[in-house]
Amino acid sequence: MQPVLEIENLRTSFMTSSGEVQAVRGVSFSVDKGEILGIVGESGSGKSVTSMSVLRLLADTAVIKEGSSIRFEGQEMTSLTKKQLRAIRGEKIAMIFQDPMSSLNPLIPVGKQVEEMIREHHPEKGKEELKRAALELFEKVRIPEPERRYKSYPHEFSGGMRQRVMIAMALANKPDLLIADEPTTALDVTIQDQILHQLRELDKEYGTSIIFITHDLGVVAELCDRVVVMYGGLVMEEAMIDDLFDHPAHPYTMGLLASMPDLEQDKSVRLTPIPGSPPDMTNPPAGCPFAPRCPYARNLCAAELPDFVETGERHRSRCFLQYPDAPADGNNPFAHTSGK
Amino acid sequence: MKDQPILEVTGLTKHFKIGRKQTVHAVDGVSFTLKRGKTLGLVGESGCGKSTCARTVIRMYDVTAGKVVLDGTDITDMDQKQLKPLRRKMQMIFQDPYASLNARMTVRDIIAEPLLAHGIVRTKTQANDLVYPMLEQVGLTKEHANRYAHEFSGGQRQRVGIARALVLQPELIICDEPISALDVSIQAQVINLLKDFQEEQGVSYLFIAHDLSMVRYVSDDVGVMYLGQLVEVCEADEIYRHPLHPYTKGLLGSIPIANPRLARQKVKSSMEGDIPSPINPPSGCRFHTRCPYATDRCAQETPVLKDAGGGHFVACHQV
């Protein structure tokens, strides 16, 4: 099956007064049709910059480096003009963000804003038709009393309701790809739960592919089919959802899973944090970016960047310890899984 | 004396007037007890009043009604001057380590300030004798002392905030979402630090967070708030294993499960609708507008918090 989106060797940097910040340093992955792909990582991992690079919604200081490729439905996006990208945005690719207030116009009733989104790409549609379509979308995302709420302004909505309006706008033109950047992070768990269910239903109904960016592995487990784990501007691990939780194949993923308590966590046992803090991307480490915090790191890890190793079906990990010739001593957590 | 709770809150109410006619019922009749050396977790959706409750307890706000007793002393009606000596006993750690540290002060001065303000030391040199060991206790070094907060990562800043609160050796610390702004890999570092201090110094925490699994992990008792009221409170494991209030059940059901197989078994979202406005809270049980089990009685009569057995308190007509 042809993937909807193929990203290959994406490198995005920001040219700042204190030097080049290499936010994304060679990222490759693809998104299948109808698939919900999670991108997990902490702040500074490059997860948002990766997704913003697709529609080039980046600051003026950003540069997508030579040799990067982003193909959407077979079309190379990096060579398109801003105008051409604008025609795709909202029509074929839609985005929702963490803070819906910053994406909504405070002076225009929400219904009109949804209509505008449709008219932008379908100027032929009449007034009645637009209103009907917008109301239908409001019902779809379960905004109560759509007729009345249609005329409301964004400030009259709660955070959860605003995010629903954003989803309605994003779905207005039945996009092939929805990029959702931490859309539930600012919401309460109860509202997050509602939005996640909604996204899953919409994915089923429209067959829209979704890229869901989050720092929360719990959310990923609830929603995603497949996961990309990012750290220090690189993909560290990529796996089907069950595989990632059953057989994490990278020490960083293992660290993340170990550092969050679940509801069964023994309270007398201390949590296992990942020591240290993430790397400074103005001066990224030469080797594996996780090496300084990795409990299994060897000299080699700090010096050289490992390649990907296939550890299972559609499962790959960027770690020297997964190499066939990696020493199988006591400090290699994968010694028993590699079978060498 | 040892058995005396560090904090006793009875019928605490905090209303804010907005304009001439409207009142925000932020906290309404909340009662709880925090035992010495223990942690009470407060959970609930945003707008449920958990932060206002904590800030009223620590007397950042004046009390509208009710009583706050800190370590045997009634502080409900004390003015700020009377409160000052007591502030040594109660400190606060804030959510946003970016906003709560003075950008123009070095880390040393930030941590020394409360020592000087309370007259524990007279000079900055004296303060250093207490500041340096404190820095090491929170996992920073002497070298960090002369730097400014903006030079630090979020996790390190939160350590500075913790050091500032702990340097006075308080007996009660209000932790208002202390880890929400931090990355997952850093959260566990801060939580371990807070737990170590409790073990070593017997400090008590009022711990406010929306991450329910973290609250369960750090707390001895957990209280659930909804629209300004405490709807359920009991021992932490008990509330997670046997939640009695329909709201607690819905809240717990909404937590994302970091286990894809279990997560797939969930068929629908646990709770519908949004939290209503605290300006005109619903009559009777405030949760009745969202409660799947609500009856006519729930809309008319406010349920009181009562013991459902073994110290498991719940305010619901159906229990």
Side-chain angles (χ1 to χ4, degrees):
Chain A
M1 193 169 39
Q2 173 82 7
V4 171
L5 185 74
E6 292 165 280
I7 295 181
E8 250 181 75
N9 193 28
L10 175 70
R11 289 183 300 140
T12 306
S13 287
F14 294 89
M15 302 302 176
T16 69
S17 53
S18 47
E20 177 183 349
V21 179
Q22 301 176 32
V24 179
R25 303 190 291 146
V27 162
S28 306
F29 62 84
S30 63
V31 187
D32 290 339
K33 191 166 166 29
E35 178 181 50
I36 307 184
L37 177 80
I39 304 184
V40 193
E42 39 199 312
S43 29
S45 64
K47 57 188 194 301
S48 288
V49 177
T50 299
S51 66
M52 297 294 251
S53 298
V54 174
L55 284 168
R56 237 179 291 153
L57 293 172
L58 298 161
D60 290 341
T61 51
V63 180
I64 295 180
K65 295 290 194 86
E66 197 79 18
S68 306
S69 166
I70 299 169
R71 278 188 308 280
F72 172 68
E73 294 179 341
Q75 184 181 33
E76 181 58 48
M77 302 280 281
T78 51
S79 55
L80 295 183
T81 62
K82 288 239 166 187
K83 198 177 163 195
Q84 287 170 312
L85 284 171
R86 220 164 24 238
I88 294 175
R89 186 165 82 217
E91 165 80 12
K92 299 230 164 189
I93 304 179
M95 289 195 77
I96 48 177
F97 301 97
Q98 179 172 341
D99 178 14
M101 205 53 191
S102 62
S103 324
L104 289 167
N105 187 330
L107 301 175
I108 300 175
V110 290
K112 286 276 170 242
Q113 298 194 47
V114 176
E115 279 184 24
E116 194 50 45
M117 191 58 145
I118 308 174
R119 201 173 51 182
E120 170 92 21
H121 298 279
H122 298 279
E124 76 284 356
K125 291 199 172 168
K127 228 176 152 186
E128 282 303 305
E129 198 180 351
L130 285 174
K131 181 162 184 190
R132 214 170 34 242
L135 281 175
E136 220 168 86
L137 283 162
F138 272 27
E139 267 169 40
K140 192 123 278 172
V141 298
R142 300 227 202 98
I143 292 174
E145 305 176 75
E147 275 286 352
R148 192 171 67 83
R149 300 306 268 171
Y150 187 84
K151 296 190 195 98
S152 304
Y153 290 87
H155 75 267
E156 299 174 78
F157 280 69
S158 66
M161 279 301 148
R162 279 181 210 143
Q163 202 55 282
R164 277 164 211 258
V165 173
M166 286 310 299
I167 295 174
M169 280 173 78
L171 294 171
N173 297 306
K174 300 197 173 56
D176 297 327
L177 176 66
L178 174 67
I179 301 176
D181 191 352
E182 304 251 11
T184 60
T185 305
L187 304 175
D188 280 310
V189 281
T190 52
I191 311 299
Q192 166 169 286
D193 195 40
Q194 295 169 13
I195 300 276
L196 293 183
H197 276 85
Q198 195 124 66
L199 285 174
R200 205 177 304 133
E201 271 172 35
L202 296 166
D203 165 68
K204 262 191 221 142
E205 192 177 333
Y206 291 140
T208 310
S209 308
I210 300 176
I211 297 181
F212 194 97
I213 298 154
T214 179
H215 64 277
D216 188 337
L217 279 167
V219 171
V220 165
E222 292 257 320
L223 184 72
C224 300
D225 303 314
R226 210 154 56 84
V227 194
V228 166
V229 180
M230 284 189 69
Y231 188 83
L234 294 167
V235 175
M236 292 280 121
E237 180 170 1
E238 187 181 335
M240 298 303 287
I241 183 76
D242 286 356
D243 268 354
L244 189 89
F245 284 84
D246 291 348
H247 312 288
H250 195 283
Y252 175 59
T253 316
M254 294 163 74
L256 276 185
L257 288 169
S259 65
M260 36 183 246
D262 59 26
L263 286 177
E264 303 296 316
Q265 175 86 31
D266 183 346
K267 284 163 56 165
S268 59
V269 177
R270 280 167 61 93
L271 297 175
T272 323
I274 303 177
S277 36
D280 172 12
M281 300 314 285
T282 42
N283 191 10
C288 168
F290 188 59
R293 303 174 75 188
C294 180
Y296 312 109
R298 287 137 206 263
N299 292 339
L300 176 66
C301 302
E304 273 177 57
L305 186 64
D307 282 325
F308 279 108
V309 177
E310 302 279 334
T311 63
E313 204 196 336
R314 302 199 80 182
H315 195 163
R316 54 182 190 146
S317 163
R318 192 193 273 280
C319 181
F320 279 124
L321 295 172
Q322 293 284 8
Y323 277 39
D325 58 352
D329 62 24
N331 202 23
N332 183 348
F334 309 120
H336 59 287
T337 54
S338 57
K340 272 112 205 167
Chain B
M1 196 58 193
K2 265 270 171 251
D3 293 337
Q4 183 180 11
I6 184 71
L7 183 67
E8 276 180 281
V9 173
T10 323
L12 187 72
T13 300
K14 177 65 197 170
H15 290 173
F16 295 98
K17 286 239 178 301
I18 45 169
R20 224 173 284 163
K21 290 190 191 120
Q22 290 184 311
T23 304
V24 178
H25 300 248
V27 179
D28 251 338
V30 167
S31 305
F32 58 82
T33 303
L34 173 55
K35 293 179 214 103
R36 201 175 292 273
K38 300 287 181 187
T39 301
L40 172 70
L42 274 186
V43 297
E45 291 166 279
S46 39
C48 73
K50 53 189 192 297
S51 286
T52 306
C53 180
R55 287 170 186 219
T56 313
V57 163
I58 206 169
R59 290 295 319 279
M60 279 168 78
Y61 300 139
D62 284 335
V63 179
T64 306
K67 203 164 112 178
V68 181
V69 177
L70 175 77
D71 203 8
T73 312
D74 187 338
I75 63 165
T76 318
D77 299 312
M78 283 190 175
D79 59 33
Q80 292 304 327
K81 204 171 157 195
Q82 291 171 302
L83 278 168
K84 196 179 168 193
L86 290 170
R87 294 231 176 266
R88 259 192 84 168
K89 286 190 183 178
M90 47 179 187
Q91 287 292 306
M92 186 148 179
I93 300 169
F94 296 90
Q95 170 172 6
D96 186 352
Y98 293 83
S100 54
L101 300 178
N102 190 329
R104 290 163 187 267
M105 285 164 79
T106 62
V107 161
R108 180 213 322 273
D109 291 344
I110 289 172
I111 302 171
E113 193 180 38
L115 291 168
L116 292 160
H118 284 278
I120 294 163
V121 295
R122 297 264 165 241
T123 64
K124 285 194 175 183
T125 341
Q126 285 176 339
N128 286 347
D129 295 339
L130 292 168
V131 170
Y132 292 145
M134 195 65 239
L135 275 173
E136 270 169 38
Q137 269 186 288
V138 298
L140 298 170
T141 63
K142 221 172 153 175
E143 281 68 50
H144 289 114
N146 289 324
R147 288 160 65 179
Y148 291 88
H150 70 85
E151 298 175 54
F152 294 100
S153 67
Q156 286 173 321
R157 282 179 215 220
Q158 200 55 296
R159 286 166 194 271
V160 175
I162 292 171
R164 176 179 59 183
L166 287 169
V167 76
L168 290 170
Q169 301 191 315
E171 291 175 44
L172 168 68
I173 299 184
I174 313 263
C175 309
D176 191 358
E177 304 261 10
I179 53 166
S180 320
L182 306 177
D183 272 316
V184 183
S185 72
I186 308 295
Q187 289 184 353
Q189 296 177 6
V190 171
I191 291 296
N192 279 347
L193 191 63
L194 290 173
K195 281 202 114 171
D196 289 347
F197 272 105
Q198 187 162 53
E199 264 165 44
E200 287 159 21
Q201 322 215 334
V203 56
S204 318
Y205 295 124
L206 183 59
F207 190 92
I208 298 163
H210 63 265
D211 180 340
L212 299 163
S213 15
M214 207 53 109
V215 170
R216 178 200 154 268
Y217 177 70
V218 299
S219 305
D220 298 287
D221 294 309
V222 172
V224 180
M225 284 187 72
Y226 186 77
L227 222 53
Q229 297 178 328
L230 202 59
V231 296
E232 185 163 3
V233 60
C234 70
E235 196 271 318
D237 275 326
E238 167 74 8
I239 211 163
Y240 286 89
R241 288 198 190 122
H242 310 289
L244 293 175
H245 199 284
Y247 176 64
T248 312
K249 288 180 188 170
L251 196 61
L252 292 173
S254 307
I255 310 177
I257 310 172
N259 177 330
R261 284 192 192 86
L262 286 178
R264 274 194 293 272
Q265 290 167 11
K266 288 213 272 181
V267 276
K268 60 186 269 289
S269 51
S270 307
M271 209 187 302
E272 296 296 320
D274 276 344
I275 190 165
S277 159
I279 294 174
N280 279 311
S283 61
C285 171
R286 292 185 177 177
F287 186 58
H288 84 263
T289 53
R290 292 169 83 188
C291 182
Y293 314 106
T295 61
D296 290 346
R297 186 182 172 205
C298 301
Q300 282 149 17
E301 199 183 315
T302 309
V304 290
L305 202 64
K306 52 180 184 285
D307 196 344
H312 189 150
F313 288 86
V314 60
C316 176
H317 292 310
Q318 314 292 334
V319 176

